[in-house]
Amino acid sequence: MGSESGRVTRGEQSRMSQWLRRRQKPAAEDPAREREALLLAVAAAGLPLAPAAHPAGYRCSCDRIGCPTPARHPVSFAWQTQSTTDRAQVERWARNQPQANFVTATGMVHDVLDVPLEAGASALARLLEAGIEVGPVAESGGTGDQARMLFFTATRGTPEDEDEWWPCELDCHPETMDEHPGLRWHCRGSYVLVPPAALPGDQAVTWVRGMEHPLPDPLTLLETLTDACARYAGSSAQTPAAVAWPLGR
């Protein structure tokens, strides 16, 4: 009787284990958990986050009629002071705003070199082949100049070390995005979307290389990126898109 009871127990345990394996899927297969984990990884790396708009069909979730950057901008005008790396706050935002995209404020911990997708893909291949350390890289879907590749780098300076900060002709602020169809340098006062982010037309912002890669010095990437942008534009080294070296103060 004890032996039979033991066989039944083992059988029940086996069936229970199989049932649990079917029921308990890895967190990565749960879109909400995966989204939250990716956002928390960004915050844990020190990159401040703030909620952003999201697609509403082919339009933007904001109230602005004819929004020029649908699903690509912060929700609050106070996004710079709202941005945070606090884990509990990011968790609350992610869980209470399940459709929201998120932006990261640049120029405090990191900058972003933002280039056309085709040029970025070519540059990334060249950089990796040359053995140059490349940090996190994201791909932003879209058509034409909206399809971009984002290279996350260390920042050039923050308000705490003002003497070390120097201006650059490529500085890109949110309101001047259309003026920089080639290479854009997001630094102090700017922002970019962070993955995972949904865009109108079933487009998205996704990681090509994740936050496990340390942030490199932007100058180690700049020459290769500007050369790729010049090739992409079919322009000479004298065009504004190719004159990419930072200017002195």
Side-chain angles (χ1 to χ4, degrees), residues 3-75:
S3 176
E4 182 179 353
S5 176
R7 286 195 298 272
V8 171
T9 300
R10 286 195 295 272
E12 288 176 347
Q13 289 176 340
S14 177
R15 288 193 294 273
M16 181 62 73
S17 297
Q18 293 174 7
W19 182 81
L20 286 172
R21 283 196 295 271
R22 290 195 298 268
R23 296 286 294 179
Q24 295 176 345
K25 295 183 179 181
E29 296 183 13
D30 181 333
R33 287 191 178 184
E34 181 179 14
R35 168 178 175 265
E36 184 176 315
L38 289 171
L39 293 172
L40 289 174
V42 174
L47 280 57
L49 296 175
H54 60 83
Y58 283 87
R59 302 175 60 184
C60 185
S61 62
C62 72
D63 296 330
R64 185 175 179 181
I65 297 175
C67 175
T69 54
R72 295 176 183 267
H73 62 83
V75 172

Side-chain angles (χ1 to χ4, degrees), residues 162-214:
E162 189 73 28
D163 290 341
E164 296 300 320
W165 188 85
W166 34 269
C168 171
E169 65 178 2
L170 296 174
D171 285 354
C172 182
H173 294 264
E175 64 273 14
T176 63
M177 295 283 280
D178 291 341
E179 299 173 16
H180 299 270
L183 191 151
R184 306 165 180 165
W185 192 325
H186 297 272
C187 54
R188 191 184 309 174
S190 189
Y191 59 79
V192 296
L193 286 175
V194 294
L199 301 174
D202 293 326
Q203 300 291 339
V205 182
T206 57
W207 286 118
V208 176
R209 290 166 54 87
M211 291 305 304
E212 66 274 15
H213 299 283

